[in-house]
Amino acid sequence: MPDGTQVPDGRRVVVVGASMAGLRAAEQLRAAGWTGAVTVVGDEPHMPYNRPPLSKEVLAGKAPFDSLAFTPKASTADVEWRLGTKAVAARLAERAVDLDDGTTLSYDGLVVATGMRPRRLRCPGPQAGRHTVRTLADAQGLRDELTRPGARVVVVGAGFIGCEVAATAVGLGVTEVTVVDPLPLPMVGPLGPLLAHALLRRHEERGVRFALGTGVAGFEGDDRVTGVVLDDGTVLPADIVVESVGSTANVEWLDGNGVDLADGVRTDEWLRVGGRPEVVAVGDVARFPNARYDGVPRRVEHWSIPTDTAKHAAKVLAAHLADGGGELALAPFAPLPTFWSDQHDFRLQSFGAPVLGRDDVRILDGDPDGDVLVGYHVGDRLVGVVALGGHAVASKAARYRAELLKQPALSVQGAVK
Ligand SMILES: Cc1cc2nc3c(=O)[nH]c(=O)nc-3n(C[C@H](O)[C@H](O)[C@H](O)COP(=O)(O)OP(=O)(O)OC[C@H]3O[C@@H](n4cnc5c(N)ncnc54)[C@H](O)[C@@H]3O)c2cc1C
């Protein structure tokens, strides 16, 4: 295959995935001193844009679609963008990536930034009326339908995105919004039961209905969905279904290279892939051990992670490309994960890794009927804090950042798989 571009000095980093993590990787490569070419390949037609507003402000019509693009930085003015182009295969031993336009890009360094796509329900029934929320096109399509008068909405999946979409739909004036989930409480996996109960109450008080402890058996309707059939045969009438049942990593293009691709791209402690110092992974797709915790490799789908991983991986890659494989003088990657989630008139704000301490949750401030701040523990060690409520309690959570950063690494005995 022909090489897709000319590189003046013959040195190039190829970034696959033109979203937040790909953009941050390009910026951070420049910040780390890489002066060679950077080519970013992305299968969406847009320049990188911010996803969190897709389920909130954009869906609510409070932010225009064109407000989502990240502000370009001068340092990346010479980056080549191959948009609307998909990487279909990688040959890591040959340092080459094949694209769906028939060209091949050779590289000195490769950044994997291909993120996630929504998982879909494999149930019988029509497709029309069924939505996911990951891309700009998804949010546009869903908003067009949500704003039709009298729409009845069923959200399948009571995780972050499902809860956010349900809240936004109610805010838009949709009177029938039901969230279905096989688990007994919304967001109980990441938050544990104490906060999940508080969250359920808040959603119900604001008009969201829940069908919990049940899965979906199928969809009713001929040309488009008219109802959601639950496991026990109950049918929830629906004009719009939003499937928010998790995500699948975009890794197929890396098949055949001997890389561990089970649930994302497995990296080492420095975000390197497959024992190759010239290949790194960043963003949602990276499954990395966090030296701050138990060393178990996990993917982390929070907005903070594209920037954190890009900063670290770019330094690792630039150092390797500069000295051709000398000793790496960088500490292992040890980010403090951070997320927020805006739902109705309240916010969830998290620092650290609450999921590791969800069996030992203690109230640090407030009370679950009002604004509340809780701490998650492994033994005596605080591993995460989450605030639920207004901005004041979210700020209180932020004050725990320094304490969380000071904690020693978790022992492997504390590992949660
Ligand atoms: C609706 C929504 C709301 C969110 N809200 C919050 C929030 O409130 N708080 C929070 O902390 N986090 C939130 N997040 C999470 C956060 O936005 C993500 O963690 C972040 O967008 C991940 O960026 P990424 O670049 O790693 O992956 P992605 O954004 O998934 O980008 C990967 C890119 O690679 C492209 N790609 C895939 N395969 C190929 C290929 N073979 N060739 C070329 N290109 C390819 C994809 O099309 C995509 O453009 C939200 C996410 C979504 C979807």
Side-chain angles (χ1 to χ4, degrees):
M1 283 191 207
D3 192 296
T5 53
Q6 300 295 317
V7 180
D9 71 351
R11 306 250 293 157
R12 166 163 58 191
V13 172
V14 169
V15 179
V16 182
S19 185
M20 187 178 180
L23 173 67
R24 297 290 180 245
E27 292 168 353
Q28 292 299 324
L29 279 164
R30 290 291 183 241
W34 171 250
T35 55
V38 177
T39 300
V40 185
V41 178
D43 61 2
E44 291 187 73
H46 314 283
M47 285 295 282
Y49 59 91
N50 201 21
R51 294 194 197 276
L54 296 178
S55 48
K56 312 176 189 74
E57 297 88 345
V58 165
L59 200 57
K62 291 180 185 158
F65 292 116
D66 57 14
S67 66
L68 300 188
F70 291 106
T71 309
K73 291 206 164 108
S75 63
T76 51
D78 60 352
V79 166
E80 183 200 12
W81 296 91
R82 302 278 294 260
L83 301 176
T85 308
K86 184 172 186 158
V88 288
R91 287 170 282 123
L92 301 187
E94 296 164 46
R95 299 190 187 178
V97 177
D98 302 329
L99 308 182
D100 65 354
D101 62 6
T103 58
T104 291
L105 296 177
S106 57
Y107 62 79
D108 298 276
L110 176 66
V111 181
V112 177
T114 41
M116 312 298 291
R117 60 179 181 271
R119 195 177 292 149
R120 299 305 305 253
L121 288 168
R122 292 194 195 155
C123 298
Q127 285 297 321
R130 290 168 57 185
H131 296 259
T132 56
V133 188
R134 182 89 200 171
T135 66
L136 200 46
D138 293 342
Q140 280 167 324
L142 178 57
R143 181 169 163 74
D144 288 347
E145 293 203 1
L146 276 181
T147 46
R148 287 185 199 155
R152 294 161 304 176
V153 178
V154 171
V155 177
V156 185
F160 289 92
I161 292 177
C163 286
E164 288 179 0
V165 169
T168 305
V170 166
L172 278 169
V174 181
T175 49
E176 273 189 49
V177 180
T178 307
V179 180
V180 179
D181 198 292
L183 293 175
L185 291 166
M187 292 182 67
V188 67
L191 298 179
L194 190 147
L195 272 196
H197 270 294
L199 190 66
L200 175 66
R201 271 198 307 276
R202 282 173 178 252
H203 274 278
E204 286 179 335
E205 283 163 11
R206 288 157 180 80
V208 179
R209 302 170 196 181
F210 284 85
L212 297 169
T214 175
V216 168
F219 297 101
E220 286 198 333
D222 298 325
D223 298 338
R224 66 169 286 138
V225 72
T226 58
V228 176
V229 186
L230 303 182
D231 283 343
D232 67 358
T234 308
V235 178
L236 299 176
D239 309 293
I240 300 167
V241 174
V242 182
E243 296 177 29
S244 50
V245 290
S247 43
T248 303
N250 296 316
V251 293
E252 293 78 0
W253 64 283
L254 285 164
D255 276 345
N257 288 286
V259 173
D260 178 353
L261 299 177
D263 188 27
V265 177
R266 166 80 154 95
T267 77
D268 68 9
E269 295 86 339
W270 287 271
L271 298 168
R272 299 174 298 196
V273 174
R276 295 181 179 276
E278 75 282 9
V279 184
V280 292
V282 294
D284 280 6
V285 78
R287 184 162 57 93
F288 60 87
N290 188 337
R292 183 171 300 286
Y293 300 112
D294 51 17
V296 175
R298 295 186 185 85
R299 286 186 314 91
V300 182
E301 291 182 48
H302 298 343
W303 194 84
S304 61
I305 289 298
T307 304
D308 289 345
T309 50
K311 280 185 180 161
H312 203 85
K315 282 186 197 144
V316 168
L317 188 53
H320 168 71
L321 294 172
D323 74 5
E327 271 307 293
L328 195 58
L330 269 176
F333 185 49
L336 185 75
T338 305
F339 75 77
W340 82 97
S341 175
D342 290 331
Q343 303 173 17
H344 304 284
D345 51 353
F346 58 85
R347 165 169 287 200
L348 279 159
Q349 177 73 60
S350 166
F351 294 96
V355 70
L356 299 181
R358 66 189 164 198
D359 294 333
D360 184 354
V361 182
R362 306 175 201 167
I363 295 177
L364 302 175
D365 197 279
D367 109 52
D369 289 328
D371 288 4
V372 66
L373 175 65
V374 298
Y376 295 76
H377 298 78
V378 174
D380 283 338
R381 196 195 137 162
L382 182 71
V383 290
V385 296
V386 180
L388 172 62
H391 287 280
V393 76
S395 309
K396 284 183 185 162
R399 288 187 214 136
Y400 280 83
R401 281 190 83 240
E403 187 176 337
L404 289 163
L405 284 165
K406 268 194 308 215
Q407 302 278 356
L410 257 193
S411 70
V412 176
Q413 286 78 24
V416 177
K417 305 228 182 221

